[in-house]
Amino acid sequence: MDDAVDAALEELGLPRQAAAAQARPAREESAPSTPPPADGLAAQREAAAQLGAALRALTDASVRTLASTATLLDVAARITECLPALTADQRDVGDPAPLDDPAAKLWLYNPVIGRANPIAPWLETTLVDGVLTGRATLGLPYQGPRGYVHGGVSALLLDQVLGDVVSASGRSGLTVSLSTRYRGPIPLLAPLLVVGRVVEVADRKITAAGTIALESEPDRPLVEGVGVFVVPRPDQAARLFGAFGGPARDTPGTPDTPGMPAAVPALAVPPTSPSTT
């Protein structure tokens, strides 16, 4: 089993156990940002979430607008004028976000579930009896075929939900494969359900399966997915993440549930199939 796991991790750039360790070059540490006082943290988080919502609305408006050339140039100039206020004090790549709360599984800048991330569809998730359910409605910024969601966005949602349900089982792992089967197009502006659960645990390899369906037709999946996740050994995690820390997933606001059984009933998802968009 270890050979198979090591081979999968090697594809991610991790050498096998027998290979020489490759240390990540030391990263110049930036001065840590001063965290806000405890009584102002909630207010700053809410402000960051409001900024994220405003930027999502701006993005939606920008891909739908039929404004004139002059208006487009004027708006672009005004947005550019706002950048210095946001770039004056920034964290470096790999630095933790001061507004996140890992203990509470609060990740404001996650690209799927982060309220403060302007590219996030903002998938709201809940975990009940080992099943993770996400809800979202996707607009024109996520369009692929005209009137429908891009297939790659579907894969993004599934990877998040499957990774999160694996993490909630107490075994944070890295995605080593994600297969999707597209049974029907996902319409834009329709409330969606993204559901995932762990279906098999074999040592450090965890398999999860999930579906995307319309909230109005939850039993008719439009996209099905199977993800395989591998928990790296400490030495492998150190080689992969170096100074950035361990492979903790950006998980939803639900407590971890250790002790997930080695096998739980599977969803009606077929074996791996080629991904399409």
Side-chain angles (χ1 to χ4, degrees), residues 58-125:
L58 178 65
T59 299
D60 185 79
S62 71
V63 300
R64 299 181 68 168
T65 186
L66 298 175
S68 67
T69 300
T71 298
L72 295 176
L73 293 174
D74 176 61
V75 172
R78 284 190 282 163
I79 292 173
T80 302
E81 289 175 359
C82 297
L83 293 179
L86 296 176
T87 58
D89 186 14
Q90 292 185 305
R91 59 189 172 99
D92 196 7
V93 173
D95 287 344
L99 299 184
D100 284 348
D101 184 355
K105 308 299 183 189
L106 175 63
W107 311 98
L108 283 174
Y109 299 103
N110 177 283
V112 180
I113 62 173
R115 293 180 64 205
N117 192 324
I119 73 168
W122 189 27
L123 189 74
E124 298 183 82
T125 58

Side-chain angles (χ1 to χ4, degrees), residues 220-236:
R220 189 172 74 88
L222 298 175
V223 183
E224 299 169 325
V226 176
V228 177
F229 301 82
V230 172
V231 181
R233 295 190 306 267
D235 63 297
Q236 293 170 327

